[in-house]
Amino acid sequence: MPKSTEYEAKIADAQGFIAYDAEEDGVWHDLITRQLPAVRQHMARQYLHGLHLLDMPTDRVPQCPDISARLGDLTGWRVEPVPALIGFGRFFGMLADRTFPAASFIRKRKHFDYIEEPDIFHEIFGHTPLLTDPAFARFSQAIGEAGTRCDKADYSWLIRLYWFSIEFGLIRENGALKALGSGLASSVTELPWSISAGPEHRPFDVIDILRTPYRIDIHQPVYFVIDDLDDLFAAARRDLLADVAEARRLGLHAPKYPPKQAA
Ligand SMILES: [Fe+2]
């Protein structure tokens, strides 16, 4: 997550609805219209099924209460608007409570292709379809539960599991690589890159993931691939705090990305 942002949270009314203007609705329309063909081609079938179930609008920014009503019936999850940047403590606590924290602003056109901080296109279009899947939903909650029990010093370790699965995970589908993660569903350039021959593809392994450093501002040089979404049920049953301790003992892998240039 970036440390600062030029965007301000949109404030919801008492029912949780947010007033977006015509320009903001237009940005949503243009983003989703551009992204849908690539998503249909490269995203996992579970994501596409979730997208179908949620039936989100293309002509305006969706509203969290509408998405929550559909999610609630399926997996008990809901989506709640939050400020653009929230701390890890609150973030993990909300996941443990089956509440997805959604940044409520939508990007400006100058950030149409790429924005470092998550906006509502990333949150709703990227994240919520897979929260209709019981295994994915349970795994997301398990990461939150581990986060509420772990030391603050362990946040940066635990968040790698979130990063390489919920944000940037891949899955094998009939022998072909498909994308699962929200950061891929909402990125016009990283989605095809992730399943190309360019990056390294490693098997989903919790300890290996916890030991893998990442940068948020580049296309990932390595992705982790699960064989079956139900494998996430097994991951959710693990003692993730013991896994973090083991990963700490083994140490971080050397980064596969170049060091960030000083600003
Ligand atoms: Fe995200």
Side-chain angles (χ1 to χ4, degrees):
M1 249 180 252
K3 293 199 172 17
S4 64
T5 176
E6 69 177 80
Y7 290 98
E8 282 182 19
K10 311 277 283 185
I11 306 301
D13 68 15
Q15 283 73 44
F17 288 87
I18 290 172
Y20 294 98
D21 64 26
E23 167 62 13
E24 291 167 322
D25 285 339
V27 171
W28 174 275
H29 169 269
D30 293 351
L31 282 167
I32 196 169
T33 304
R34 178 178 66 167
Q35 195 68 353
L36 277 171
V39 156
R40 291 197 184 102
Q41 193 179 353
H42 299 308
M43 290 300 293
R45 63 179 167 78
Q46 294 90 344
Y47 170 92
L48 295 173
H49 182 58
L51 195 62
H52 170 73
L53 291 175
L54 292 177
D55 191 27
M56 53 186 76
T58 56
D59 60 341
R60 60 170 176 83
V61 183
Q63 295 287 342
C64 289
D66 296 336
I67 300 288
S68 294
R70 296 186 189 122
L71 277 182
D73 289 342
L74 294 161
T75 55
W77 275 72
R78 54 195 290 272
V79 190
E80 192 174 299
V82 295
L85 303 172
I86 61 170
F88 280 131
R90 183 173 172 196
F91 176 74
F92 286 130
M94 290 178 76
L95 294 185
D97 199 29
R98 291 190 293 182
T99 302
F100 191 79
S104 50
F105 72 91
I106 191 159
R107 70 192 70 180
K108 296 171 181 164
R109 290 202 183 265
K110 67 180 178 181
H111 295 138
F112 195 78
D113 288 340
Y114 175 75
I115 180 171
E116 192 168 318
E117 58 268 52
D119 73 340
I120 197 160
F121 180 69
H122 167 77
E123 310 282 38
I124 299 285
F125 185 75
H127 278 282
T128 60
L130 275 171
L131 288 173
T132 65
D133 181 90
F136 200 88
R138 179 66 198 109
F139 176 69
S140 304
Q141 186 179 8
I143 292 181
E145 289 165 347
T148 60
R149 293 197 314 271
C150 81
D151 238 43
K152 282 184 180 167
D154 285 337
Y155 286 166
S156 62
W157 287 81
L158 186 61
I159 202 68
R160 291 190 197 105
L161 182 57
Y162 183 90
W163 182 262
F164 284 113
S165 56
I166 292 170
E167 293 285 353
F168 290 99
L170 301 181
I171 190 168
R172 215 171 291 281
E173 196 172 288
N174 302 325
L177 283 176
K178 294 283 181 175
L180 264 185
S182 57
L184 302 172
S186 62
S187 169
V188 68
T189 53
E190 189 159 0
L191 176 53
W193 158 257
S194 68
I195 54 166
S196 74
E200 181 180 350
H201 296 118
R202 299 164 73 113
F204 183 85
D205 179 288
V206 171
I207 300 289
D208 197 25
I209 288 172
L210 292 172
R211 299 178 64 201
T212 304
Y214 65 83
R215 264 176 60 178
I216 68 169
D217 58 337
I218 54 172
H219 289 174
Q220 302 303 306
V222 54
Y223 297 91
F224 290 87
V225 185
I226 67 170
D227 287 322
D228 189 313
L229 214 55
D230 282 347
D231 293 351
L232 295 182
F233 277 129
R237 284 194 297 270
R238 293 174 68 100
D239 180 346
L240 293 176
L241 298 194
D243 288 335
V244 166
E246 174 68 358
R248 264 187 181 283
R249 190 184 68 76
L250 294 168
L252 276 182
H253 293 311
K256 292 187 180 302
Y257 48 78
K260 195 168 184 173
Q261 300 291 314

